[in-house]
Amino acid sequence: MTAMASVISKITAKNQVTVPKQVRQALGLKEHDQLRWIAKDDGSIEVKKANNNDFWGVVMEQQRRYGSINTPEPAWGPDVGGEVID
């Protein structure tokens, strides 16, 4: 992506930001796409289009948000019998 003119956005009272048209076009964004915000050590922020097809990225995000799925399986008791399928 080539450098573009500086564009300013305003944060609303609900902490929402409109992504400027030039940025949406440069990133190929469309409605319902997600952005990944990366805070760097030098104080700058990198914004990328999130790769929603990244299965393990989604898994890690869900684990970060909701906790680990590594829980013991519940004990349902001894087996009663076999399954009968008609």
Side-chain angles (χ1 to χ4, degrees):
M1 175 168 60
T2 60
M4 64 174 72
S6 175
V7 191
I8 295 175
S9 291
K10 183 170 87 172
I11 298 176
T12 68
K14 294 183 178 182
N15 292 315
Q16 297 172 332
V17 176
T18 299
V19 179
K21 182 178 180 180
Q22 297 94 324
V23 175
R24 292 193 314 266
Q25 289 174 336
L27 293 175
L29 297 173
K30 56 189 179 303
E31 189 175 352
H32 302 293
D33 280 345
Q34 294 181 346
L35 296 174
R36 181 173 310 282
W37 300 78
I38 304 161
K40 298 194 171 193
D41 291 336
D42 65 0
S44 66
I45 302 293
E46 184 176 345
V47 180
K48 294 183 174 186
K49 181 177 178 179
N51 182 359
N52 297 332
N53 295 328
D54 174 20
F55 175 76
W56 290 110
V58 171
V59 170
M60 295 305 288
E61 174 63 23
Q62 294 294 315
Q63 184 172 340
R64 183 191 65 73
R65 185 177 296 174
Y66 301 112
S68 174
I69 61 170
N70 294 326
T71 58
E73 198 172 308
W76 296 104
D79 288 341
V80 176
E83 293 180 313
V84 178
I85 301 174
D86 294 331

